[in-house]
Amino acid sequence: MALVVGNSGYQNAPLLPNPANDAAAITATLKAAGFDVVDSRLNLAATDMRRALREFADQARDADIALVYYAGHGIEIDGTNYLIPIDARLERDTDIYDEAFSLDRVLLAIEPARQLRVVIVDACRNNPFADSMKRTVASRSISRGLARVEPTVSNTLIAFAAKAGLTALDGNSKNSPYATALVKYIAKPGLDLRRAFGFVRDDVLQATGNRQEPYVYGSLGGDDVALVPAAKAEEPIQAANPQSETRRDYELALQLRNKPALNAFLSQHPDGYYANLAKLQLNQLEAEEARVAATAKAQQAEEQQARLMSQGAQRADREKAAADLKAAEEARVVAEKAKQAAQEQAAEAERKRTAPESTIVAALSENNPAVESTVADSPAAAKSAEDNKTPKLAALSAEPRQTDIAKADIAKSVQSELSRVGCFTGAVDGQWNAASQRSLALFNRHAGTKFDVKLASLDALDAIKVKPERVCPVICDHGYRASGDQCIRITCAEGSFLNDDNECEKRRGKKPVAKRNTDEGSSRADRSARERSEPMADVPRRQATAKASGGGGSGQIVCDQYLCRQVRRGCHLDYRGGGGPGNNTGNVEVCN
């Protein structure tokens, strides 16, 4: 599996023309080399880069080889190398810890790979933030290029485009000299990685006039390690399968077809697929014995009843004989049904077991009618054909059409069994393609077997049939989790959301933000006007009252809906019922 990252479009630094082109060239090379997964990402911001590393770390857990290629800007600070996302600002040297990713983080992502880990860094360029970056500590080291590294995990290689402390060149072509050399050598079949990087070094030195020297850190063992294995000259030999011996022992016991032979097989092979088949055959034999015994008992009961009837026995004896006959007959019927059920189960199991072999024989027999007709006409010829059955089948199997039919049937059976144990999700069509080969490789990984994935063999079919339950784990997409053999949707509680780690996280509420009241002046003016307008209704009344009191009178006051005044001289108040001024009720002024 490989992760390829090319960062060209930097937002706060000069654009880099080559990384995107280099990443595309490396991606095409690795795909052509047969990598199962090649994840290509361009112009990653910090968030996207973090997600890409996390997703690739999950994929690398099942990888034999994990490779990461990065092209873009890189910086070394205090002896640690950092890869720069396109949205980094790096206004000060301490921002590197928040806005960039250390090379150790990349090594951590590929650490689970089982055989080989490779990191290729084409980022040994000048620091684009050197002029604007502020140093918080004067003694902090910021040097040219990248710093020397030593991997702590075995079988790990780290390749730099230039030696530690030196910078790499972009060149004058579409791709950098380093990427051009990598494409030429990295995926060459059978070429050891150490020699491949040596050839890359020689080409880059020659292309740059000895100004740029690539360097590799880490070490491998004594065996040759190639990203792409050398092509095999001949068909691989199928590895021996322990189930083959068990199958032969079972077929021998089945030919004898008796309880001692089956019990001897079970004592030698107490568990597994063929042990279950032997138990079904044993149940069939025991059911047959029980049926025979029940039938004999029913016959004895019938004979006893007939004898008592002929002798004129007492009524009680005859009734007892009739009851015994009825019970024996019922037991016989039950034994007959049990025998039939056991026989059907054993026959169905044998039909499934022998389906691939019988299909092969049928396919071969279709093109040899002369042999069958001869066997049917002559018993001697039949015996001769039986004696020579194996070599004739072997000779006939060399015909292309017959071989294709046999392989397709075996492949279809293997696909069906792989689907049953959870390792195959494609269509069961007998086409042994790349998806089927990956499924058998998954079975090998989780079941501890070593079958050749390029072939669908009977030995592999036997080994898969032995597994009674799922072998390969369930892999679910984001938003789903595994539950038994299915993926179910993750539902978060109210107030929570599903984060990038496929976990429910509590949603944080928005904090209230104080806002300045821009209409404060107008609000105050409205409030002042409102306060001034409220007592205006009483002003005329108070003014009129004061005016009336100033002119003299009876000292009585009369009010209407507009104002209050003093009763005029020579007048008096007269109450006429009701109340309220202005409605001709209450107190009214009466003058003589």
Side-chain angles (χ1 to χ4, degrees):
M1 298 182 178
L3 172 64
V4 180
V5 178
N7 284 348
S8 291
Y10 282 88
Q11 301 172 6
N12 304 295
L15 299 179
L16 294 176
N18 284 344
N21 299 331
D22 296 342
I26 296 297
T27 298
T29 300
L30 296 179
K31 286 182 177 181
F35 270 57
D36 293 313
V37 175
V38 181
D39 188 4
S40 179
R41 308 287 184 97
L42 299 178
N43 298 325
L44 295 183
T47 303
D48 299 328
M49 199 163 179
R50 184 179 295 106
R51 183 179 296 109
L53 288 174
R54 185 166 56 223
E55 292 174 355
F56 187 72
D58 293 337
Q59 294 176 328
R61 293 194 184 103
D62 297 328
D64 293 325
I65 298 176
L67 182 146
V68 175
Y69 172 85
Y70 173 82
H73 276 306
I75 296 178
E76 178 268 325
I77 295 181
D78 278 347
T80 302
N81 300 313
Y82 295 89
L83 310 182
I84 311 301
I86 63 169
D87 59 347
R89 292 183 178 276
L90 301 183
E91 297 177 353
R92 59 188 66 83
D93 52 5
T94 55
D95 291 346
I96 195 74
Y97 307 114
D98 300 322
E99 299 179 15
F101 295 84
S102 69
L103 188 58
D104 293 336
R105 175 66 183 89
V106 179
L107 293 173
L108 185 65
I110 65 173
E111 187 175 351
R114 288 188 289 268
Q115 296 182 8
L116 178 65
R117 291 153 288 276
V118 181
V119 178
I120 303 174
V121 183
D122 192 359
C124 309
R125 297 172 172 87
N126 286 324
N127 180 2
F129 304 93
D131 296 334
S132 59
M133 182 185 294
K134 299 177 182 178
R135 297 197 183 188
T136 57
V137 178
S139 59
R140 180 168 285 119
S141 169
I142 304 177
S143 62
R144 301 171 66 231
L146 298 179
R148 177 185 179 90
V149 293
E150 290 298 338
T152 58
V153 180
S154 61
N155 293 328
T156 300
L157 291 181
I158 303 175
F160 284 174
K163 188 184 295 187
L166 300 178
T167 58
L169 304 176
D170 283 330
N172 298 322
S173 62
K174 179 180 178 182
N175 298 107
S176 68
Y178 187 63
T180 302
L182 281 175
V183 170
K184 183 177 179 181
Y185 296 109
I186 194 68
K188 193 172 183 180
L191 181 60
D192 181 68
L193 269 181
R194 288 158 292 200
R195 296 193 63 196
F197 282 118
F199 292 146
V200 169
R201 169 190 172 274
D202 295 342
D203 281 11
V204 173
L205 282 173
Q206 182 179 0
T208 60
N210 295 329
R211 289 178 295 170
Q212 177 181 339
E213 180 182 2
Y215 216 82
V216 179
Y217 303 93
S219 63
L220 301 177
D223 295 334
D224 287 348
V225 179
L227 283 184
V228 181
K232 294 183 179 180
E234 57 184 9
E235 192 76 7
I237 300 176
Q238 182 67 40
N241 180 16
Q243 290 297 321
S244 299
E245 298 180 1
T246 306
R247 180 179 62 190
R248 287 192 291 270
D249 293 344
Y250 168 75
E251 291 175 348
L252 179 60
L254 190 63
Q255 290 176 3
L256 297 176
R257 199 171 181 76
N258 56 45
K259 292 177 64 176
L262 292 173
N263 287 326
F265 173 81
L266 288 174
S267 64
Q268 187 175 2
H269 307 284
D271 300 316
Y273 173 69
Y274 288 100
N276 295 333
L277 293 178
K279 291 175 183 178
L280 291 177
Q281 296 293 336
L282 193 60
N283 291 340
Q284 180 183 2
L285 294 179
E286 292 175 348
E288 175 63 19
E289 292 179 355
R291 185 194 67 81
V292 172
T295 302
K297 189 174 182 179
Q299 291 177 353
Q300 293 176 0
E302 185 177 3
E303 292 173 357
Q304 176 68 9
Q305 184 185 32
R307 185 177 61 79
L308 292 176
M309 292 290 292
S310 64
Q311 293 177 356
Q314 297 181 0
R315 180 179 180 179
D317 293 338
R318 292 198 306 271
E319 291 179 351
K320 182 178 182 301
D324 292 342
L325 177 59
K326 182 179 180 181
E329 186 63 25
E330 291 177 351
R332 185 192 66 79
V333 172
V334 171
E336 184 70 29
K337 291 181 179 180
K339 177 253 181 183
Q340 186 177 359
Q343 185 177 7
E344 290 177 354
Q345 290 180 354
E348 178 66 16
E350 274 301 297
R351 186 188 66 79
K352 291 181 178 180
R353 183 186 73 86
T354 59
E357 291 89 342
S358 61
T359 306
I360 295 173
V361 174
L364 298 178
S365 300
E366 288 179 358
N367 290 333
N368 196 15
V371 174
E372 291 190 359
S373 60
T374 304
V375 171
D377 295 339
S378 172
K383 185 176 185 305
S384 176
E386 182 67 20
D387 294 339
N388 298 323
K389 181 179 181 180
T390 302
K392 286 184 178 180
L393 289 178
L396 289 172
S397 65
E399 296 183 17
R401 192 179 69 86
Q402 298 163 356
T403 303
D404 293 341
I405 295 175
K407 286 185 177 180
D409 292 326
I410 296 175
K412 190 172 183 179
S413 300
V414 174
Q415 287 174 340
S416 178
E417 290 298 318
L418 286 173
S419 178
R420 180 182 63 82
V421 297
C423 299
F424 182 65
T425 58
V428 181
D429 53 6
Q431 299 295 326
W432 196 250
N433 49 24
S436 301
Q437 294 176 13
R438 285 194 295 268
S439 300
L440 184 55
L442 281 175
F443 178 83
N444 284 338
R445 183 178 306 155
H446 295 286
T449 55
K450 296 182 179 179
F451 296 110
D452 185 3
V453 299
K454 295 182 179 180
L455 300 173
S457 62
L458 292 175
D459 289 339
L461 179 63
D462 290 339
I464 302 171
K465 282 184 176 180
V466 172
K467 303 299 180 181
E469 56 188 11
R470 171 180 284 274
V471 174
C472 299
V474 180
I475 300 177
C476 301
D477 295 333
H478 184 269
Y480 294 82
R481 62 179 177 84
S483 177
D485 294 341
Q486 297 179 347
C487 292
I488 61 175
R489 183 182 294 275
I490 300 175
T491 304
C492 297
E494 186 177 358
S496 301
F497 68 97
L498 191 67
N499 60 19
D500 292 340
D501 295 327
N502 224 29
E503 297 176 351
C504 290
E505 181 177 337
K506 188 174 182 181
R507 194 183 305 277
R508 298 180 181 178
K510 295 184 178 180
K511 296 181 179 180
V513 180
K515 295 184 178 180
R516 191 177 192 87
N517 188 1
T518 57
D519 299 334
E520 183 177 356
S522 60
S523 299
R524 290 180 179 176
D526 294 342
R527 185 167 59 252
S528 300
R530 191 165 53 252
E531 291 174 352
R532 290 194 300 269
S533 63
E534 288 177 354
M536 290 303 290
D538 295 337
V539 173
R541 183 177 297 178
R542 289 196 298 270
Q543 292 175 350
T545 303
K547 183 177 180 181
S549 61
S554 63
Q556 291 180 323
I557 301 297
V558 62
C559 298
D560 56 18
Q561 60 181 340
Y562 300 107
L563 52 85
C564 294
R565 61 180 174 80
Q566 196 173 26
V567 177
R568 291 173 289 183
R569 189 181 300 278
C571 300
H572 66 277
L573 294 177
D574 185 15
Y575 178 73
R576 297 184 179 181
N583 294 326
N584 297 324
T585 56
N587 294 324
V588 297
E589 184 182 31
V590 179
C591 299
N592 295 330

